[in-house]
Amino acid sequence: MVNPRADFVERVRLHEHIAGTGFAATTLTSMLAESIHTVHGSVDKIGDGSVTLEHSANLDYDYLLVAIGSAVRAPAGTLPVGTWEATVASRTGRTTRRECGHRRPEAV
């Protein structure tokens, strides 16, 4: 399995991470069978029976499943919680739901 990070990020739970009420990331190796080899990186090219990684390494495969994920664009003035990296950055300085709401008095 090739993935850009060591964790599986459940995007629908990113709001829980930013509010401090839950977790959105689980270590991939804890979710997969021991026989599944994980590689941290991105695929640059898909060929017949092999993939080329971003740094020119090749991986052979018998079966290929492509899951490209999805992305969102945060509206102006909102916290960008569409990606793990943006959520982690947004979480800085916000430790609880009440503190997040405190920044918007009408939401408390």
Side-chain angles (χ1 to χ4, degrees):
M1 169 180 269
V2 179
N3 200 54
R5 63 184 61 82
D7 296 326
F8 170 75
V9 176
E10 201 171 348
R11 198 177 93 190
V12 297
R13 301 213 180 281
L14 289 175
H15 68 285
E16 294 175 4
H17 178 76
I18 200 168
T21 62
F23 300 99
T26 304
T27 305
L28 274 173
T29 54
S30 71
M31 301 173 66
L32 301 172
E34 289 182 22
S35 61
I36 298 176
H37 177 69
T38 59
V39 175
H40 299 156
S42 297
V43 173
D44 186 48
K45 181 179 176 184
I46 299 173
D48 187 20
S50 71
V51 294
T52 304
L53 302 181
E54 61 190 338
H55 299 295
S56 301
N58 286 316
L59 294 175
D60 295 331
Y61 64 85
D62 294 320
Y63 298 95
L64 178 66
L65 171 69
V66 178
I68 59 172
S70 60
V72 296
R73 184 179 305 171
T78 64
L79 296 173
V81 295
T83 67
W84 176 248
E85 294 77 14
T87 300
V88 170
S90 296
R91 175 97 169 92
T92 305
R94 295 172 182 88
T95 57
T96 66
R97 276 186 302 196
R98 188 156 190 70
E99 288 174 348
C100 287
H102 187 268
R103 297 177 192 277
R104 291 184 32 223
E106 72 277 5
V108 176

